[in-house]
Amino acid sequence: GKHAVNLDNKIADVRVKPFTLEMGFKFELHVTISGKKINVSEVPELSIPDEWMRDKLELNFYKSEQGGGGEIENVTYDKQSRTAVITYHKPG
């Protein structure tokens, strides 16, 4: 409904309206680890730009708590084959 809000000694009438928040994406990846590189397969098809998918993969594999992590040198993503290769600066 309607509400009155006091802003700097002035009353503003406001109305509350519901809105929908966009949901995040949750997905499962399959990985093969070898020295400096991780091969990722079965990357889900999402309606986001390839650049965003590369960023999401980089953030996920950079985290030290998940699979060792570390500083990433490069992320190669192939939307057609639904695969990616994450290359780290140092083996680990």
Side-chain angles (χ1 to χ4, degrees):
K2 291 183 178 181
H3 298 275
V5 179
N6 186 344
L7 301 170
D8 294 328
N9 296 323
K10 293 183 182 179
I11 302 296
D13 291 325
V14 295
R15 184 181 303 256
V16 178
K17 291 187 177 183
F19 65 94
T20 304
L21 293 174
E22 289 186 29
M23 295 297 294
F25 295 103
K26 191 173 189 176
F27 51 86
E28 180 178 322
L29 300 171
H30 298 265
V31 300
T32 304
I33 302 171
S34 167
K36 282 181 63 172
K37 293 185 179 188
I38 296 179
N39 295 321
V40 183
S41 60
E42 299 183 43
V43 176
E45 293 181 41
L46 302 177
S47 58
I48 61 174
D50 291 2
E51 191 176 301
W52 291 10
M53 180 60 83
R54 279 190 294 275
D55 289 346
K56 286 183 172 297
L57 289 165
E58 182 172 351
L59 287 171
N60 184 66
F61 287 96
Y62 181 82
K63 296 177 184 176
S64 59
E65 297 88 73
Q66 298 177 3
E71 192 172 346
I72 293 176
E73 183 178 307
N74 187 42
V75 176
T76 305
Y77 168 63
D78 184 352
K79 188 173 191 168
Q80 194 76 11
S81 65
R82 295 177 47 212
T83 61
V85 177
I86 299 8
T87 305
Y88 290 96
H89 279 286
K90 299 178 184 175

